[in-house]
Amino acid sequence: MAMKKMRCGVAAVEALRVAGVKKVFGLMGSSTLEMYDALYDLKDEIEYIGVRHENCGTHMADAYGRVTQTPGVFICGQAGPGSANMVLGLAQAKFAYSPVVAITGLAATEHLGRDAFQEIDQNTLFLPVTKRVMTVPRPDRIPEFILEAFRIANAGRRGPVVVNIPRDIFNHDIEVDLPQSLPEIRPPAADAAVLAEIQKLILAAKKPVIHAGAGIKWSRASAKLAALAEKLQIPVTSSAGHADILPMDFRFHAAGVGPRGNPVASQLTREADLIIALGTRLGFNTTFYKHTDISPTAKIIQIDIDPLALGRYFPVALAAAADAGAVIDGLLGLMAPVAPGAAPWHARNEQYFKARAALWAEREASGARDGTPMHPDVIYAEVRKAAPRNAIFTLDAGTTGFQATDQLPCYEAPALLTPLDCGMVGFSYSAALGAQVAAPHRRAISLMGDGGFGMTMGEMTTAVASNIPAVGIVMDNGTWGSEIAYQRDFYNERYIGAHVHSPRFDEVMKLTGGNGYHPTAPGETADALRDALKAGKPAIIHVKVDPEVTISFRKDALKKRQPGS
């Protein structure tokens, strides 16, 4: 390919095109204006979505990366304060192992180290919250560094990468020789010896359980996992935040284990003699690193793409650094089908099916209750009635995320995007916008509390300006729900700072140019959601929910105080 001469901003954007980028999130500023000017000429090829806060834009790129499996791109226009605003969003992406490429400005090279205007040590700032931080040293290396960022972000265990570009480096013309595309990176597969050992352990088991995590979604292996569960007649549980690994109505899908899961799934892993952990670290939000919901006597087979995750939190009988989907492929080809009534674990399965049916009957009964303010279960039940089968749901941490974690109608993975171990409030709505941009043929629905939505309400203008028809359901209990539960349960109801005053967010959305709804009785949330989805515009549904229904999640971290102490 012949060398071409072009401006550095054009070279940077050409690198994005080589990487296959079709959508870019950003907040413009003077540090990267050369890139913005180059994007102007490619408006028909690369869509730009301007946001109102860098943190929210990074969440959008995070969600985009999770849905598309290609790095979401955020262009931060301003060095220093603008760049610093990305830190929480990058931390969130790192905890979720989301592929994100953030390109940001830096103070001019002649000013570095002089405490110049808007100079922050951005390399040090980003190191703890990214997979890699890179600073471009010369103009001619801009496209090289950007393409390397894409490779790193999407290789192995994915993560966010930051490319710092000193603002004066953009002010050059360079000779560029760009490749046609990025090379495909194939994940590792398990070898025959590992598959044979897994087969031997399964055949010797009496109560096996498959426990699966994000690796199933990254390898797009949900259909294969369902086929394996049916073939072997083994129930499947999921890691926290990944209840979408299988369709909600698949009978072998028990869903979430642990405090953020449900008792039926947790009972399976508590009683198992073999846990086949596929694409999961067996991390904190699922296990608390304890044997509370993981049988201490079970043999554990752990498959994860990251060798450092293997055996890190629990001793394992067999471990392999491999792609979860490839391992499932191997087992499907290796193992003979088990007749439903012939499995040694048939009696356990029958108990499980009954317990699962009872759990869902209990949830439907709770969701049918009367009264106002409404119980959160009423909202989730109505979402199950009104949401399309291919909907993508986003959640916050805190009370809303805790209550809804495996109650939502997830059918087509990826269908559930949560903050995962970052545990942050304020993620959900921005993530819904990113997910909607990533999958315009699906509908993104955000559920979050009034406190979290207040942090990100400015992005309603982003949704309207870029015509992103995501639907936000704000469940308003007038409190910081988890915290007020701690004050109730551990601090003798000494409430301070736990109450929240919010405007009618549905009215704010109307003022912004979208649609707003304010259900006040059972049944109305489902009607509002149907109408919002049919209208195809950005929408907010603001519904009051019972402030008394809050849960103390981190009971492990707080000590009960006696009255008067």
Side-chain angles (χ1 to χ4, degrees), residues 30-51:
S30 62
S31 298
T32 53
L33 278 176
E34 284 289 326
M35 284 191 73
Y36 276 83
D37 189 66
L39 283 169
Y40 181 88
D41 293 325
L42 290 177
K43 287 184 289 186
D44 294 335
E45 296 182 49
I46 300 177
E47 180 185 359
Y48 175 79
I49 298 100
V51 309

Side-chain angles (χ1 to χ4, degrees), residues 368-385:
R369 66 179 75 196
D370 294 324
T372 55
M374 285 175 274
H375 192 283
D377 285 355
V378 174
I379 309 304
Y380 307 137
E382 295 192 24
V383 169
R384 292 196 292 271
K385 293 175 183 176

Side-chain angles (χ1 to χ4, degrees), residues 272-336:
D273 65 344
L274 177 68
I275 297 173
I276 309 161
L278 300 174
T280 173
R281 297 176 299 121
L282 298 170
F284 175 81
N285 269 331
T286 302
T287 67
F288 274 6
Y289 309 137
K290 298 178 180 179
H291 285 286
T292 307
D293 296 306
I294 299 291
S295 169
T297 59
K299 293 180 178 179
I300 297 176
I301 299 168
Q302 188 178 14
I303 307 297
D304 196 88
I305 202 167
D306 181 5
L308 296 179
L310 301 175
R312 184 178 182 189
Y313 306 128
F314 296 91
V316 295
L318 176 65
D323 175 69
V327 170
I328 294 172
D329 270 337
L331 291 174
L332 283 170
L334 180 66
M335 299 200 67

Side-chain angles (χ1 to χ4, degrees), residues 390-475:
N390 69 346
I392 300 173
F393 297 95
T394 64
L395 293 174
D396 261 15
T399 295
T400 306
F402 188 87
Q403 294 166 335
T405 184
D406 63 2
Q407 288 212 52
L408 297 175
C410 298
Y411 295 103
E412 297 183 16
L416 181 65
L417 310 182
T418 78
L420 301 173
D421 285 350
C422 187
M424 71 160 293
V425 174
F427 167 80
S428 177
Y429 185 64
S430 298
L433 299 187
Q436 187 66 77
V437 170
H441 60 289
R442 302 173 69 176
R443 296 305 301 274
I445 301 170
S446 160
L447 291 99
M448 62 195 307
D450 48 321
F453 189 77
M455 295 179 179
T456 58
M457 61 183 291
E459 300 307 330
M460 285 189 282
T461 64
T462 298
V464 172
S466 294
N467 192 27
I468 305 172
V471 178
I473 301 176
V474 182
M475 299 171 64

Side-chain angles (χ1 to χ4, degrees), residues 137 170 206 261 267 296 410 416 420 446 454 465 480 550 562:
F170 276 119
K206 298 292 187 252
Q267 188 72 12
C410 298
L416 181 65
L420 301 173
S446 160
W480 297 108
T550 56
Q562 298 301 317

